[in-house]
């Protein structure tokens, strides 16, 4: 039945499953489909998109007020930014700061890029970050809260110049958060592997690879891995700035 979906959009959280995607057009991004998963229009202070490129796909632009984090979910693509050109494959990423031109070209057909966008908040005494490349690496994911089943890799430097963090959270089989979290940070995330049960604001949701979640500040949250494989997601949060209304 076409009226059934696991997607839910509420005042302080959302589950967005791929079955409800509607494509958007972004100037300068051609030969691709763009799905805007999370955006200010739903009450968020970030934007999260999923871009699927054809072999003729091309992303050309320049960041202005917002910084952008690009992560390769599948396939590979070449990026030119900050006077450097690199080929990014699955699990690799680039952070592009404000005021920076970029160009993505030569993708494999079906390449998917996840993006997180946030308006940058300068901090007196600290330089604006530069272009930053990296890759997913489980060996760089320390144990979280003394639980061998939980590991988090920080993908961006944990320094005051950055006002956003992007991490990969891996739940081993049977792994779960040790408490219900209640905090000021906002989250946007995409499930990369496995499946889970996620509790948001006392509501319980089944989620799996390909699903996205938005969590507003103070949306209570808890999760547990389900099934016979690890549950893995990549997520954004706002960090390192005074907790006030912008």
């Amino acid at each position: 039945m076409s009226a059934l979906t696991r997607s839910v959009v509420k005042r302080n959280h959302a589950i967005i499953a791929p079955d409800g995607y509607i494509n958007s057009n972004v100037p300068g991004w051609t030969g691709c489909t763009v799905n805007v998963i999370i955006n200010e229009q739903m009450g968020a202070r970030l934007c999260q998109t999923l871009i699927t490129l054809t072999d003729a796909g091309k992303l050309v632009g320049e960041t202005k007020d917002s910084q952008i984090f690009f992560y390769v979910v599948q396939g590979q693509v070449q990026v030119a930014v900050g006077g450097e050109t690199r080929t990014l494959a699955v699990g690799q990423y680039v952070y592009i700061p404000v005021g920076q031109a970029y160009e993505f070209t030569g993708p494999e057909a079906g390449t998917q890029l996840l993006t997180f966008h946030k308006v940058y908040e300068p901090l007196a005494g600290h330089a604006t970050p530069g272009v930053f490349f990296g890759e997913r690496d489980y060996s760089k994911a320390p144990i979280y809260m003394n639980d061998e089943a939980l590991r988090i890799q920080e993908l961006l430097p944990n320094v005051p110049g950055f006002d956003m963090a992007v991490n990969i959270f891996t739940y081993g089989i049977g792994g779960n958060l040790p408490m219900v979290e209640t905090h000021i940070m906002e989250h946007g995330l995409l499930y990369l592997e496995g499946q889970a049960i996620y509790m948001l604001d006392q509501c319980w949701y089944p989620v799996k690879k390909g699903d996205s979640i938005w969590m507003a500040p103070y949306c209570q949250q808890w999760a547990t891995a389900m099934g016979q494989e690890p549950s893995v997601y990549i997520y954004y949060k706002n960090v390192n700035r005074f907790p006030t209304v912008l």
Side-chain angles (χ1 to χ4, degrees):
M1 293 180 62
S2 63
L4 298 178
T5 182
R6 288 180 300 104
S7 295
V8 173
V9 180
K10 297 195 174 186
R11 65 172 184 83
N12 64 351
H13 68 271
I15 308 291
I16 306 296
D19 58 22
Y21 286 175
I22 296 295
N23 299 338
S24 297
N25 293 317
V26 175
W29 295 5
T30 58
C32 62
T33 59
V34 181
N35 300 116
V36 181
I37 310 298
I38 299 169
N39 189 260
E40 292 87 345
Q41 300 297 322
M42 68 197 306
R45 288 188 175 181
L46 77 141
C47 178
Q48 175 179 325
T49 75
L50 188 65
I51 307 157
T52 305
L53 296 124
T54 67
D55 57 4
K58 190 173 185 179
L59 311 181
V60 179
E62 181 176 353
T63 54
K64 299 185 184 301
D65 296 330
S66 292
Q67 59 209 308
I68 310 178
F69 178 98
F70 289 87
Y71 179 90
V72 182
V73 177
Q74 65 183 42
Q76 66 176 33
V77 65
Q78 183 173 278
V79 57
V81 60
E84 186 172 1
T85 300
R86 294 195 190 188
T87 297
L88 300 182
V90 176
Q92 297 180 319
Y93 58 88
V94 60
Y95 165 87
I96 301 178
V98 293
Q100 183 70 62
Y102 62 84
E103 183 175 79
F104 290 77
T105 56
E108 290 182 350
T111 292
Q112 283 195 325
L113 302 175
L114 169 71
T115 71
F116 296 115
H117 311 233
K118 180 190 181 295
V119 173
Y120 183 69
E121 303 168 60
L123 182 62
H126 296 274
T128 300
V131 174
F132 185 84
F133 291 91
E135 63 183 326
R136 177 181 175 182
D137 184 347
Y138 187 73
S139 71
K140 296 179 181 178
I143 295 169
Y144 180 66
M145 298 194 75
N146 299 314
D147 187 340
E148 291 280 354
L150 303 176
R151 292 181 178 268
I152 294 181
Q153 180 187 356
E154 296 182 342
L155 302 184
L156 293 176
N158 187 6
V159 297
F162 282 89
D163 67 346
M164 66 183 285
V166 181
N167 303 331
I168 292 181
F169 203 154
T170 299
Y171 296 63
I173 297 172
N176 58 262
L177 285 177
M179 86 289 275
V180 175
E181 296 186 1
T182 307
H183 56 64
I184 192 172
M185 284 85 75
E186 181 179 24
H187 290 323
L189 68 82
L190 172 70
Y191 265 87
L192 299 174
E193 300 172 22
Q195 55 187 346
I197 296 295
Y198 224 110
M199 188 276 284
L200 299 167
D201 196 23
Q202 304 301 317
C203 298
W204 299 81
Y205 302 102
V207 290
K208 64 179 182 178
K209 178 181 177 179
D211 291 347
S212 295
I213 300 178
W214 169 59
M215 290 171 255
Y218 296 105
C219 175
Q220 291 184 308
Q221 56 193 264
W222 179 88
T224 185
M226 299 292 288
Q228 300 303 311
E229 62 179 319
S231 170
V232 184
Y233 57 76
I234 181 171
Y235 70 102
Y236 153 97
K237 66 178 178 180
N238 51 310
V239 296
N240 297 334
R241 294 298 182 267
F242 193 80
T244 187
V245 176
L246 297 178

